[in-house]
Each structure stands twice: as structure tokens, then as C-alpha cells.
Amino acid sequence: MEQLKKNEAFGGPEGPVVLVVMDGVGIGKNPESDFVKIANTPNLDWLREHAIYTEVKAHGVAVGLPDDGDMGNSEVGHNAIGCGRVFAQGAALVGDAIASGSMYEGSVWQELIANVNDKGSALHFIGLFSDGNVHSNINHLEAMLLKAKEQGVKKARIHPLIDGRDVPPTSVLEYVERFDAFLADINADGSVDYCVASGGGRMNITMDRYDADWSMVDRGWKAHVKAEATPFASMKEAIEQFRANKPGILDQDLPAFVIERDGAPVGPIVDGDSVIFFNFRGDRSLEITKAFEADEITEFDRGPKPNVIYAGMMQYDGDLGVPEKYLVTPPAIDRTMSEYLSNAGVKQFAISETQKYGHVTYFFNGNNSGKFATETWMEIPSDVCPFENAPVMKAVEITDEVVKAIEGGEYKFIRLNFPNGDMVGHTGVFDAVKVAVEAVDAGVGRIMEAVKQANGIMVCSADHGNSDDMCELDKKTGELKLNEEGKCKPKTAHSLNPVPAIVYDPSGVSKARKADVADAGIANLAATCITLLGYVPPADYTPSIVEVG
Ligand SMILES: O=C(O)[C@@H](CO)OP(=O)(O)O
Ligand SMILES: [Mn+2]
Ligand SMILES: [Mn+2]
């Protein structure tokens, strides 16, 4: 790969370039629903007036998703910011592999099917049960089940992870109804036995990330593999009972359940079975994958590992080569900004707290967990508690370290992620979201001051929206959905809104001014940072949003 060339017109600032990713902080459309507006944000307000301020796209095709109805998410967002280009992402690649049939021609699919057909064992599907298209898509699950039947698989067991985080917060019964009808249909001729075996809310079981809370994986393993969780006759019954036990509970937090028939669980995972983890996104797939693949595991008391053929929907980590078997090849994200800067000898510092640590490192580097030579990564441990109870999260600690890094003078490029707008946005608790956004603004303010002192430059943006759009809209009318008291109904998912892209050069050394870029998206931030560091961005990166020199 070629070396970055120095820009003759501007050789970079004296201090560092600092890229702030305000996770889930977009630009809202509805005043009642926009908690970025509602929060008190003096620093962001000042920047909007006095710095270079533009809006960039962070959803749909601008970040490699199938269409503009798809909200952005952290994976595709950080991939785009880190590699400066737009790659067709998991949702699109899996959709295409299923539509064209190429997935079923692959050796992994064939091995999974042959295994159960030879042994008369069960084909299991574990994954996120919605059409959110962030981690998975229920359409992919249904398509694979139809293909399995066509190819002679007699017994399939499905382990749904209940969403409510990429789709409305208490919408699971809509998916259950649809899926029950699908199952009734596929089972109708009596030739196969396909049913739900176990499940639970995605923030309660299985889908932990970045080693934040392995007890989630423990509960998931118990339910899916050992069939140890509260037994029910159906998924619908489980959900209704859990809701009656704890009114107001969100889908993502629902406890684990197991389905029993004639007094016995219908689908523990046992020797000889095949298992497909059908999420395509990696962060929340890596731990359960480790549980199925590792010979030894210390993170929880797994017990004996059943001898199964396990495959992920995608390869989740390119550097580690995990999982060993996968159905669809991930986007070939190469030549990231981190790699270019490393080759140019630019020292880089990346930091967030646990919940977003992998976002600003592994996602940023194209879903690779390895570091480049000039990179230093720092993780601040996240709290393990409902984030509505601690909405400031680790914003202060992250900022402390960033300020130290700016003052220390060692790093020329510093990148960080403030999780608050997103993690607290996902709780749907309005008051907490306001506090969360204010914590981000306070952090940005301190970084602005440190950048000013060091004669550096700050670039401040987001990976997608969330806290800017906290109320459910009626799909048909586009109006806010109101509850019985006339208040708006909390929305827990990301938004489709654009995000800010701010360039703050307090010393004015770069002479940065808005460039004329059509249709800018967050992918344009990579070239922007490289330009502000005094280099000419790679020719195939989407262009910088500023001109300098
Ligand atoms: O929590 C997550 O896994 C997703 C939402 O599904 O959020 P983000 O993309 O911001 O990480
Ligand atoms: Mn995010
Ligand atoms: Mn999120």
C-alpha cells in the first residue's frame, strides 16, 4: 500500500488532531423528541455558531446498508469513519448471498446440513429476532429454514434473542405472531419438526460484548445448550408471563425461557447437532462464539462443550479468524486510516469505556482486533448496571485521559468515543438521556479547551443518531405516538437522522474552510482527519469536508 504524502500547503497543526465520536448524537427533526436539543449543551451550541459545522449522513446507503430506510449503527458507522470509504455491509451481503443462493452453495452450509441429515440430529439457529438489520434479520432466519426443509432437514430448533433495541421497545409479540404463522406453515405437511426451543432478551442473555458482563453469556448458554431456564409451553406464554410479573419491562431485558413439550425441553443443544449463530454483526457475537469454539473457557462455568458443528453468519474478527466456520464473507475493509497513519509514523491514541471500546478500536480498524504499530488503545471499565441509573457513564474518566494525552504531546491523532447519547438513548428514559447528552457536551468542552491550549484541532461527529429522536412515530402518519396521558412513547432504537461534523481549529493554522462536497457522509471524516494532520488523503477515500492551507 502506498505511503501518505505530506500536503505542501499545510503540514499539520502543532498539537494533535482529536476525533470525538459522540455515539448516538444526531441532529433531530422533532423538538419534543430531540434530547440533544432539549439538553443544555453550551459547547455544542457554541461550536454550531463559531466552528465549521456541517451535517453528514450516517444511515442507509451512505454507510453501506441495503437502503435508506436502514438506520445507522455503530459497526457500519465506525467502519466508515475508520476506512474513509463505503463498503456493502453485513446486512446487504447476507441478503444478497441468500437471494442469489450463493450461501447455500458454500461448503459451510453444506457441512452443517449434511451433519444433521447424516445423524438425524437437530439444526439450531440462535440470533436476534427482529428485522432491525443491525445485528441480524428475521428474513434471513426464515429463508434458511425454508432451504433446510427443502434439503431434507427434519428437526430445527430456534433460539430467539428478543430485540426491542433496534425495533420498538415492546414489539416482540408482532415478531412472534409472524414467526408462529411461518412455523405453522412449514410444519403443516407433517414432514418436519421445527420449533422455538429457548430464548430471552438480548440485554439479558447471550449478546454481551467486549467482555462487559459474561454472566449474560452464562444465562444464554444455560438456556440454549442446557435447557436450564424457566419452562413454558410457548414463547408467547413466556413473554406474557414475564410482562405480568414485571409490568413495564422492555423486550431487551426479558429473562431467559425454555420451551417444554410433554414435560421435557424441546431443544437442548447436544452432541451431533449443527448450530448457526445467525447474527451478522460481530461485537455481540464474539463471546457466545468463544463459548461454542474454545476448548477451555475461564469466563464462566460452561461445563462440557457439546460436540457440534458451529458456524457464524459471518466472520466476526478478521485478525483472530473467528469463527472458524462462517456462512458469508465479510466486507473486505482494507487500508484503514489507522494503517495509513501507522505507516506514516503518526502516533495514535484510541480510547473509550468498555461498552464502546471495541467500536473505536476493532470496528474503527475494519473489524480487526489487532493494533497497528503506532497505536495505543485504552479501555476504561464500564459500570455493569442499567445505564439510566448512571447516565454520565465514564465520560469524565474518558475526558481526563484524553486531556492527558493532548497535554502529553506524544500522540498526533487521538480518537475517542463517548457512549452516553447512545447507551442511555437505548433505555428510553428521557430524564437520563438529557443528563447523558449534557455529560457528552461537558466532555467536548474540556477537550476544546485542551485542544486550544495545545494548538491542536478537534473534529467532532457521531456514528449515527439515537438521543436526537427519542419518541416513537406512527409509521403511517409520521406523527408522534402518544400514550394514554398524551405523552410521547419512548423509542429505544437509533435514528435515521444526519449527524454533525464539526471542525474546530482554535489557532486557525489550517485555514480550514468548508469544501464543496456533495452528499457527505461520515465516511468523509477519515479524509478530513488526514487532511487536518497535514497529509493528502488516499485518492479513493471519500473527500475531506474541509479544504486547508
Ligand atoms: O447496542 C447495540 O448492539 C447497537 C444496537 O443494536 O447499538 P450500537 O450500534 O450503537 O452499538
Ligand atoms: Mn453507535
Ligand atoms: Mn446503539
Side-chain angles (χ1 to χ4, degrees):
M1 117 187 205
E2 80 281 11
Q3 284 276 351
L4 287 179
K5 281 197 202 64
K6 272 280 186 197
N7 180 355
E8 317 228 302
F10 171 59
E14 183 193 337
V17 171
V18 182
L19 171 63
V20 182
V21 179
M22 305 182 292
D23 211 300
V25 176
I27 301 169
K29 294 190 179 70
N30 298 301
E32 304 88 328
S33 178
D34 181 357
F35 278 73
V36 180
K37 266 274 162 58
I38 291 167
N40 184 19
T41 54
N43 297 300
L44 290 171
D45 296 346
W46 187 92
L47 288 165
R48 204 175 294 116
E49 294 301 318
H50 300 100
I52 296 178
Y53 182 93
T54 61
E55 292 187 14
V56 293
K57 284 192 185 156
H59 77 287
V61 293
V63 286
L65 292 168
D67 73 72
D68 281 343
D70 289 308
M71 64 206 169
N73 69 71
S74 292
E75 177 187 44
V76 301
H78 286 79
N79 284 172
I81 299 171
C83 78
R85 287 152 295 156
V86 181
F87 285 86
Q89 285 284 354
L93 296 174
V94 173
D96 291 350
I98 287 177
S100 72
S102 66
M103 178 197 280
Y104 310 123
E105 284 153 24
S107 62
V108 172
W109 173 267
Q110 291 180 4
E111 186 185 350
L112 290 157
I113 300 296
N115 178 51
V116 297
N117 283 347
D118 289 351
K119 298 188 177 116
S121 55
L123 176 60
H124 296 264
F125 292 86
I126 310 173
L128 190 60
F129 189 68
S130 78
D131 53 358
N133 242 1
V134 171
H135 295 266
S136 73
N137 195 319
I138 190 172
N139 295 336
H140 302 159
L141 169 66
E142 291 177 352
M144 289 186 290
L145 285 165
L146 288 170
K147 183 54 90 177
K149 178 172 181 184
E150 197 186 304
Q151 297 186 335
V153 173
K154 295 277 178 277
K155 184 172 167 187
R157 294 292 179 262
I158 300 99
H159 306 261
L161 303 171
I162 299 168
D163 191 353
R165 191 173 171 93
D166 300 327
V167 293
T170 52
S171 58
V172 59
L173 287 179
E174 289 169 32
Y175 296 96
V176 172
E177 201 175 308
R178 157 188 173 165
F179 196 62
D180 280 350
F182 172 87
L183 287 175
D185 225 37
I186 205 166
N187 285 315
D189 64 9
S191 69
V192 298
D193 169 20
Y194 288 8
C195 65
V196 170
S198 79
R202 58 174 283 181
M203 296 306 281
N204 192 325
I205 67 165
T206 314
M207 280 176 61
D208 182 42
R209 65 178 167 205
Y210 308 143
D211 300 327
D213 181 8
W214 270 86
S215 76
M216 289 170 63
V217 183
D218 187 6
R219 287 190 288 277
W221 183 264
K222 284 203 177 89
H224 312 318
V225 178
K226 299 180 176 173
E228 288 171 11
T230 318
F232 290 94
S234 72
M235 180 168 177
K236 181 161 184 246
E237 208 181 285
I239 291 157
E240 284 169 348
Q241 186 61 56
F242 291 144
R243 286 180 176 172
N245 295 351
K246 196 172 175 199
I249 191 168
L250 298 182
D251 286 354
Q252 49 184 330
D253 301 320
L254 287 166
F257 64 85
V258 161
I259 303 303
E260 284 191 353
R261 206 189 270 168
D262 307 323
V266 293
I269 298 176
V270 299
D271 286 350
D273 288 348
S274 290
V275 179
I276 296 175
F277 193 73
F278 65 88
N279 287 10
F280 44 75
R281 176 166 143 174
D283 56 344
R284 296 188 184 278
S285 307
L286 285 165
E287 291 176 32
I288 187 72
T289 294
K290 183 169 184 187
F292 274 104
E293 289 195 334
D295 291 333
E296 301 284 332
I297 190 158
T298 53
E299 286 85 351
F300 74 106
D301 181 15
R302 180 183 63 185
K305 179 165 76 91
N307 186 10
V308 298
I309 299 186
Y310 174 87
M313 183 60 108
M314 288 220 138
Q315 187 180 53
Y316 301 129
D317 186 323
D319 274 347
L320 297 178
V322 169
E324 207 180 298
K325 296 180 202 284
Y326 53 91
L327 292 167
V328 179
T329 304
I333 301 174
D334 60 350
R335 297 186 293 110
T336 58
M337 156 162 56
S338 302
E339 187 170 9
Y340 274 110
L341 294 179
S342 183
N343 290 348
V346 176
K347 285 218 167 180
Q348 312 173 63
F349 182 66
I351 180 168
S352 187
E353 61 173 273
T354 310
Q355 283 294 340
K356 300 287 180 180
Y357 174 66
H359 287 28
V360 80
T361 55
Y362 144 87
F363 281 157
F364 199 91
N365 285 356
N367 298 352
N368 293 299
S369 58
K371 274 192 210 68
F372 292 103
T374 67
E375 286 188 286
T376 300
W377 295 354
M378 186 182 282
E379 174 183 355
I380 307 280
S382 285
D383 294 323
V384 180
C385 74
F387 290 111
E388 63 270 36
N389 298 343
V392 176
M393 299 184 71
K394 299 296 173 203
V396 174
E397 291 82 347
I398 293 169
T399 308
D400 288 345
E401 292 298 338
V402 169
V403 168
K404 250 194 253 169
I406 295 171
E407 288 172 355
E410 182 182 355
Y411 301 105
K412 276 286 171 206
F413 182 57
I414 296 170
R415 60 186 201 260
L416 65 133
N417 177 303
F418 282 130
N420 312 58
D422 181 67
M423 292 304 291
V424 187
H426 281 301
T427 70
V429 179
F430 296 149
D431 293 344
V433 178
K434 182 168 176 283
V435 175
V437 172
E438 288 171 358
V440 172
D441 185 77
V444 168
R446 287 179 59 205
I447 292 170
M448 285 165 66
E449 188 51 37
V451 160
K452 187 172 173 185
Q453 294 305 324
N455 291 325
I457 299 174
M458 180 182 77
V459 177
C460 183
S461 187
D463 55 341
H464 54 79
N466 183 337
S467 46
D468 46 285
D469 188 23
M470 287 303 303
C471 301
E472 285 286 319
L473 294 181
D474 188 295
K475 269 193 199 136
K476 287 196 195 101
T477 64
E479 303 284 315
L480 291 177
K481 267 195 196 164
L482 301 178
N483 66 13
E484 304 78 47
E485 295 152 23
K487 297 220 173 85
C488 66
K489 265 184 94 180
K491 171 171 155 304
T492 51
H494 297 165
S495 73
L496 290 162
N497 288 328
V499 299
I502 299 165
V503 175
Y504 172 61
D505 174 8
S507 77
V509 64
S510 69
K511 303 198 182 72
R513 58 218 174 258
K514 266 185 210 177
D516 187 15
V517 180
D519 254 351
I522 50 178
N524 297 70
L525 292 168
T528 306
C529 291
I530 290 172
T531 301
L532 291 167
L533 280 160
Y535 294 90
V536 179
D540 62 347
Y541 271 33
T542 57
S544 168
I545 61 165
V546 292
E547 283 168 3
V548 293

CSV table of all heavy atoms in Angstrom, one decimal, residues 23-24 73-74 78 356 359 422 463-464 494, ligand 2:
chain,number,residue,atom,x,y,z
A,23,ASP,N,-21.3,9.0,20.3
A,23,ASP,CA,-22.1,7.9,19.9
A,23,ASP,C,-23.6,8.2,20.0
A,23,ASP,O,-24.0,8.6,21.1
A,23,ASP,CB,-21.8,6.6,20.7
A,23,ASP,CG,-22.0,5.3,19.9
A,23,ASP,OD1,-23.1,5.1,19.5
A,23,ASP,OD2,-21.0,4.6,19.7
A,24,GLY,N,-24.3,8.1,19.0
A,24,GLY,CA,-25.8,8.2,19.1
A,24,GLY,C,-26.2,9.7,19.3
A,24,GLY,O,-27.3,9.9,19.8
A,73,ASN,N,-25.7,2.3,12.5
A,73,ASN,CA,-25.3,1.7,13.8
A,73,ASN,C,-23.8,1.8,14.0
A,73,ASN,O,-23.1,2.3,13.1
A,73,ASN,CB,-25.8,0.2,13.8
A,73,ASN,CG,-25.1,-0.7,12.8
A,73,ASN,OD1,-23.9,-1.0,13.0
A,73,ASN,ND2,-25.7,-1.1,11.7
A,74,SER,N,-23.4,1.4,15.1
A,74,SER,CA,-22.0,1.6,15.5
A,74,SER,C,-21.0,0.9,14.6
A,74,SER,O,-19.9,1.4,14.3
A,74,SER,CB,-21.8,1.2,16.9
A,74,SER,OG,-22.4,2.0,17.8
A,78,HIS,N,-18.6,3.2,12.5
A,78,HIS,CA,-17.2,3.2,12.8
A,78,HIS,C,-16.3,2.7,11.7
A,78,HIS,O,-15.2,3.1,11.4
A,78,HIS,CB,-16.8,2.5,14.2
A,78,HIS,CG,-17.3,3.3,15.4
A,78,HIS,ND1,-18.6,3.4,15.8
A,78,HIS,CD2,-16.6,4.1,16.2
A,78,HIS,CE1,-18.6,4.2,16.9
A,78,HIS,NE2,-17.4,4.7,17.1
A,356,LYS,N,-18.1,0.7,24.5
A,356,LYS,CA,-17.8,1.2,23.1
A,356,LYS,C,-16.3,1.1,22.8
A,356,LYS,O,-15.8,1.6,21.8
A,356,LYS,CB,-18.2,2.7,23.0
A,356,LYS,CG,-19.7,2.9,23.3
A,356,LYS,CD,-20.5,2.4,22.1
A,356,LYS,CE,-22.0,2.7,22.4
A,356,LYS,NZ,-22.9,2.2,21.3
A,359,HIS,N,-15.6,-0.4,19.6
A,359,HIS,CA,-16.1,0.4,18.5
A,359,HIS,C,-15.0,1.3,17.9
A,359,HIS,O,-14.8,1.4,16.7
A,359,HIS,CB,-17.2,1.3,18.9
A,359,HIS,CG,-18.6,0.7,19.2
A,359,HIS,ND1,-18.7,-0.7,19.6
A,359,HIS,CD2,-19.8,1.1,19.2
A,359,HIS,CE1,-20.0,-0.9,19.8
A,359,HIS,NE2,-20.7,0.1,19.5
A,422,ASP,N,-25.9,7.3,23.0
A,422,ASP,CA,-26.4,6.0,22.5
A,422,ASP,C,-26.8,5.1,23.6
A,422,ASP,O,-28.0,4.6,23.6
A,422,ASP,CB,-25.3,5.3,21.7
A,422,ASP,CG,-25.9,4.1,21.1
A,422,ASP,OD1,-26.8,4.1,20.3
A,422,ASP,OD2,-25.4,3.0,21.5
A,463,ASP,N,-21.5,8.6,15.1
A,463,ASP,CA,-21.6,7.4,14.2
A,463,ASP,C,-23.0,7.2,13.7
A,463,ASP,O,-23.2,6.5,12.7
A,463,ASP,CB,-21.1,6.1,14.9
A,463,ASP,CG,-21.8,5.9,16.3
A,463,ASP,OD1,-22.4,6.8,16.8
A,463,ASP,OD2,-21.7,4.7,16.7
A,464,HIS,N,-24.0,7.7,14.4
A,464,HIS,CA,-25.4,7.6,14.0
A,464,HIS,C,-26.2,8.4,15.0
A,464,HIS,O,-25.6,8.7,16.1
A,464,HIS,CB,-25.9,6.2,13.9
A,464,HIS,CG,-25.6,5.4,15.2
A,464,HIS,ND1,-26.4,5.5,16.3
A,464,HIS,CD2,-24.6,4.6,15.5
A,464,HIS,CE1,-25.9,4.8,17.3
A,464,HIS,NE2,-24.8,4.2,16.9
A,494,HIS,N,-31.9,3.4,17.2
A,494,HIS,CA,-31.2,4.5,16.6
A,494,HIS,C,-32.1,5.3,15.7
A,494,HIS,O,-33.2,4.9,15.4
A,494,HIS,CB,-30.0,4.0,15.7
A,494,HIS,CG,-29.0,3.2,16.5
A,494,HIS,ND1,-28.1,2.4,16.0
A,494,HIS,CD2,-28.8,3.2,17.9
A,494,HIS,CE1,-27.3,1.9,16.9
A,494,HIS,NE2,-27.7,2.3,18.1
B,2,MN,MN,-23.1,3.8,18.0
